[in-house]
Every structure is written in structure tokens, then in C-alpha cells.
Amino acid sequence: MKKSILIAIVFLSQLTMAQSPWVAEKGNGFFQLGGSFIGPYNTLFTDQNEDFITSRNLTDLTFQIYGEYGLGKGWETFFALPFVIQTSGELSENPSLNPTIERGNHSALGNIEWGIKKVLYNKELIVSAAIRTEVKTSSFDEATGLRSGYGAWGIAPSIMVGQGTDRFYAFLSTGPTLRSDGYSSEWRIQAEGGYKLGSNSYVMLNIFIVESFRNGEVELPNSNLETGFFVNNQSFFSFGPKLLTQFTDHIGLTGAVYFAASGNQVAKSPSVNLGVFKKF
């Protein structure tokens, strides 16, 4: 696989980077500062095929530092450090629950992630395995119902398969995320394909599916259930286009829009994503 296509894969978004099968060479890697924004919105998907109207209009702005570093012999390590800024704003019209939460803001760390990845096979196809840890570093503001991440530890093994040429790549990743503190575990499937446009730009399409095992019995405060932020049994099917432009061999810009086609307890609103990366 050509180096230019590998660059396109690794500099996309926090979700893609951790789940692609390609790894950085020893001593090499990259960092990305990214941001995603959803809102204002007041509607959540539910698995009863009925919209849930939140008590107040909500926004979610997440900044994240992501990095990967090659350890050699097909190994690499990666991490993600998210910082979440959420808002509970004006009252919604015809909410699904009687409003009890306050108007306000909540800014805090999300779930810090760290993991390792290993290439298992690298010929016509590349096959890798990874294990990712979600750290219980989030916080919750009960007055506003705003939560910056899951109130649990998580462990997520996965297997990834991919293939690439000079101008095209595709990969598939799948595996469970097992959580503590009474939260349900989930299964994740992610697929992506990308195509090189010109000498410095790429276009991609990403599909991401999360399905809850519904095996947890955590009891969350009613204010959290009113907002839907990081509640139990969340599931979704999302898709979206992504673009990447390199300004130099080491610096570039990414952008993406993700749409949720269905889900449970997740925003019925697209997310807009931007990122700046540096390769070393």
C-alpha cells in the first residue's frame, strides 16, 4: 500500500484512526486536534420508532487530541483525550417529560482512551488486532442533566481487515466494548472506503454501527434521562462523507459530516467535524 494512501487513512477522525488496521512505523506517528459539534437539537432517536423530545434545546461541542506512535515490529500505541462542552438551553416545545432540569453549561473531560494495536498479517490483505481502554474520567452535572462521558470503565478488543492501492483503500473493523458500573456492553462495526483526488486531497465514506447488548442495569438520575447524554443502552447506525487536504507532507486539514439514520437514545441531528493534523 502506498504511503500517500496510508496518510489519508490515519488522518481522518478519532473513530477511524483507532479502528483502521494500518500502524505507524517505529518512531513515527502523528497528532490531531479535532472538534465535533451537534446542535442545537431537542430530538432523540428511540428504539420504539418514536422521537423523544428533550426538555431543553441541547448542544454538544467536543474537542479531542488524538495521537498514534509506532513501536516497531507491527506494534503501535494510541490515545485520545476529549474535552466536552455541553449546553442545556431554552425549553423545548412539547417535551416527552415534564421539564425538571435547569438551564446551564457543563465543561469537563470525557472518557480518556488508550490502546495498543498489532499487525497480524500483511500481504494481499492487512489484518490487525487492537485493545482499547476507556477510562472513567467523565463527570455529571445533575442540575442540568449534562454528562461528559460514560460513568464507567471500558475495555474494547477488536479485529480489523483492510486493503489499499495507489488511489483506493477500504477496511472493516468489529468488536465489543465491555463496560463496568452496571452499563450495558455493546458491539461495534465500522466500515470505510476512500479515494484519492488529485495529489493532495482525498474523499471517504464511513459507516458506523453500535448495537447495545442491553445487559446492564445501571440506574441513572432522571435529569440525565431528560438530556440523553451518555445514558445506558445507546445504539445507532450512522454514515457520512469525509474530506482530507494536505498542505505539506506533514500538516493537513480534515472535515466530515456524520448523519444518524437510526438509533436509541442518541441525537437525531448530524455532527460536523473538523481536524488539524501533524505527522512526524
Side-chain angles (χ1 to χ4, degrees), residues 14 58 73 93 110 118 125 127 129 131 134-135 146-148 162 184 188 190 201 245 275:
Q14 56 269 29
L58 306 172
K73 296 183 179 181
E93 294 184 5
K118 176 69 168 70
L125 296 174
V127 181
I131 188 163
E134 296 178 356
V135 184
L146 301 175
R147 183 184 291 275
S148 65
S184 293
R188 296 186 174 194
Q190 187 173 12
S201 298
T245 297

Side-chain angles (χ1 to χ4, degrees), residues 160-193:
M160 295 145 284
V161 179
Q163 187 175 40
T165 67
D166 287 348
R167 304 194 70 86
F168 175 79
Y169 77 88
F171 73 82
L172 176 70
S173 171
T174 188
T177 300
L178 311 175
R179 292 197 173 95
S180 67
D181 292 72
Y183 281 83
S184 293
S185 300
E186 64 190 27
W187 193 273
R188 296 186 174 194
I189 301 173
Q190 187 173 12
E192 182 168 293

Side-chain angles (χ1 to χ4, degrees), residues 66-127:
Y66 180 89
E68 290 189 0
Y69 183 78
L71 303 174
K73 296 183 179 181
W75 287 90
E76 77 166 20
T77 184
F78 58 89
F79 75 93
L81 179 64
F83 187 79
V84 180
I85 302 172
Q86 298 165 325
T87 300
S88 172
E90 297 288 344
L91 288 172
S92 298
E93 294 184 5
N94 302 316
S96 297
L97 298 175
N98 292 327
T100 62
I101 59 176
E102 298 177 5
R103 182 174 182 174
N105 304 307
H106 181 55
S107 301
L109 280 174
N111 295 113
I112 296 174
E113 299 184 7
W114 174 81
I116 55 174
K117 189 190 303 182
K118 176 69 168 70
V119 174
L120 305 177
Y121 178 84
N122 190 5
K123 291 187 178 180
E124 296 83 4
L125 296 174
I126 181 168
V127 181

Side-chain angles (χ1 to χ4, degrees), residues 15 25 46 84 120 125 139 205 222 250 272:
L15 293 174
E25 296 179 359
T46 72
V84 180
L120 305 177
L125 296 174
S139 67
L205 177 65
N222 289 333
H250 301 285
V272 178

Side-chain angles (χ1 to χ4, degrees), residues 3-9 12 166-167 169 194-204 242-246:
K3 185 177 180 181
S4 61
I5 300 298
L6 176 58
I7 291 172
I9 294 171
L12 300 179
D166 287 348
R167 304 194 70 86
Y169 77 88
Y195 186 77
K196 184 177 181 181
L197 299 174
S199 59
N200 297 309
S201 298
Y202 305 81
V203 60
M204 309 92 171
K242 299 192 287 188
L243 296 172
L244 176 146
T245 297
Q246 289 180 236

